Amino acid sequence: MIGTSKAMTEGVAEERRQILDSPRPPRSNGTHTNEEDQPGQEDMAFCMMLMRKKVHFFPVFTWIFIIVSFFICYGIAVAHGHVEPDFPYISGCRCSYTAIKTPERCYFSQLINFGACLLAGNVFIRYLQMKEVFSKHNTADPSHRRLNIACLVVGFLSALGFSMVANFQTQVMRPLHYTGAGLAFVFGMCYCWMSSALTWKQRVNMNNTYVAVLQLINSVVLTVFLVVFGVSKAIYKYKETHGMGTKWDTLKTVYLLSTITEWLTATFIVTFVLTYYPDFKKIRFYGPRVKFNTDVYPRSTASNGDVHVNADGLQGNNEERV
């Protein structure tokens, strides 16, 4: 038994020596390999490969997914007789809203939650792109960098607002629902203006003046719709509460004005990400990085960067990237 254990130990040691002594594939021209040519890329998930090389389709997918989600939930609500086939509010209570009853409420929450994550993803990629623009062109103005960070925070809060609107129905969670609506619409409008201003300031470095103009136009139209929506809904709610009519008679015009502009406001907030399509064609997204702490996984590395195996049998290279 002792002899067998000794033989196994010697076999493992011999196997490790063979790994250490085995020749390594030469580096081309002795230079650092391109990050895209690193081994293991062929094993990457297809979605990550698509995000890396075709990231400009991400805003298009985001827009299609969220708009289709709105109409899917609206169609389910109409099919079950929960709303009238006109222009109800996107979410809320009574018979004038789309996403308060089951099953449409469940679909609405799930789809918009995912859509909010997509919006946040666009905000994050845009932040990284602008950060790279500053680095490449040695932008010294700190106000541009601060504005970029502010865009990231406000954009995330707007995406959070969309998720809150979907999950907290106004009939049972009115304060949280309207808090989410404020984040989604007001912060969404602010994000569009802030991002438009940043794009305009960097239009020469990015060679995208037409994109900056499109973003400004989108922001202006969005602001108009949001103001009209806020005013018309306030008027409608005030008159309805004081018994001055209903949406079926004297208040029909102001009711339709408020519901239509609500849909248009949400649509133009989502449409803003489509303006990222031309700029995202110029970049590749490599995603987050994971690194080992050197003190946790010590290892020996040759000066030429070849992979070695340490005493624990772990492989590595000069960079500690996984």
Side-chain angles (χ1 to χ4, degrees):
M1 193 71 175
I2 297 176
T4 303
S5 177
K6 183 178 180 180
M8 293 178 61
T9 303
E10 293 177 351
V12 172
E14 179 63 26
E15 184 177 352
R16 287 185 175 178
R17 282 195 295 270
Q18 291 178 0
I19 295 176
L20 288 170
D21 297 337
S22 60
R24 304 296 170 186
R27 292 177 178 265
S28 59
N29 300 327
T31 59
H32 178 67
T33 56
N34 191 304
E35 197 166 4
E36 298 176 16
D37 301 328
Q38 291 180 359
Q41 178 176 316
E42 63 275 11
D43 299 326
M44 188 181 300
F46 174 75
C47 60
M48 291 303 298
M49 286 292 294
L50 187 62
M51 279 295 295
R52 170 174 291 188
K53 297 184 177 181
K54 303 293 182 181
V55 68
H56 52 284
F57 288 121
F58 188 53
V60 179
F61 174 75
T62 301
W63 187 89
I64 293 175
F65 181 88
I66 294 179
I67 298 301
V68 170
S69 297
F70 285 155
F71 284 99
I72 286 177
C73 299
Y74 171 69
I76 294 174
V78 172
H80 285 79
H82 295 163
V83 298
E84 303 79 14
D86 53 9
F87 277 96
Y89 288 111
I90 296 177
S91 62
C93 63
R94 303 178 189 171
C95 60
S96 344
Y97 296 84
T98 300
I100 188 60
K101 297 181 179 180
T102 56
E104 60 268 19
R105 178 178 65 187
C106 306
Y107 290 105
F108 187 75
S109 298
Q110 184 64 35
L111 292 174
I112 299 304
N113 279 338
F114 185 67
C117 293
L118 295 177
L119 284 175
N122 281 273
V123 170
F124 181 63
I125 295 174
R126 182 62 169 182
Y127 163 78
L128 293 178
Q129 182 186 26
M130 298 308 297
K131 188 177 179 181
E132 187 68 17
V133 170
F134 299 153
S135 176
K136 182 177 180 181
H137 295 280
N138 297 319
T139 302
D141 192 345
S143 64
H144 291 193
R145 300 179 184 273
R146 288 195 295 265
L147 181 58
N148 193 33
I149 296 175
C151 286
L152 178 68
V153 175
V154 173
F156 278 176
L157 289 175
S158 177
L160 174 63
F162 274 96
S163 179
M164 291 178 65
V165 166
N167 289 282
F168 301 107
Q169 288 76 36
T170 185
Q171 186 177 22
V172 292
M173 302 290 287
R174 187 178 297 270
L176 288 176
H177 178 84
Y178 282 111
T179 299
L183 289 174
F185 285 179
V186 178
F187 276 56
M189 179 193 67
C190 292
Y191 173 79
C192 292
W193 277 109
M194 293 164 64
S195 184
S196 299
L198 187 59
T199 303
W200 181 262
K201 292 179 179 180
Q202 292 292 324
R203 66 189 185 281
V204 176
N205 291 335
M206 300 181 68
N207 190 26
N208 64 347
T209 302
Y210 71 99
V211 173
V213 172
L214 288 176
Q215 290 184 355
L216 289 171
I217 293 174
N218 188 99
S219 299
V220 170
V221 175
L222 165 62
T223 303
V224 172
F225 284 143
L226 181 58
V227 171
V228 174
F229 163 64
V231 173
S232 59
K233 184 169 184 178
I235 295 174
Y236 169 71
K237 286 297 182 182
Y238 176 82
K239 291 187 175 182
E240 183 189 40
T241 303
H242 289 77
M244 302 172 65
T246 67
K247 69 173 187 174
W248 304 110
D249 43 59
T250 58
L251 299 182
K252 184 175 182 179
T253 300
V254 68
Y255 163 76
L256 288 176
L257 182 62
S258 65
T259 56
I260 292 174
T261 50
E262 183 193 36
W263 282 80
L264 290 173
T265 299
T267 299
F268 271 84
I269 290 176
V270 179
T271 300
F272 188 84
V273 301
L274 287 178
T275 63
Y276 292 157
Y277 178 86
D279 290 337
F280 281 6
K281 291 182 71 174
K282 306 172 185 177
I283 63 173
R284 291 195 175 187
F285 180 68
Y286 292 97
R289 300 292 188 186
V290 177
K291 295 184 178 181
F292 283 127
N293 295 327
T294 54
D295 56 339
V296 175
Y297 294 100
R299 66 194 173 192
S300 61
T301 306
S303 59
N304 60 359
D306 288 344
V307 177
H308 276 217
V309 180
N310 59 18
D312 295 324
L314 297 173
Q315 291 188 359
N317 53 22
N318 273 342
E319 293 184 353
E320 297 150 282
R321 192 172 293 150
V322 177

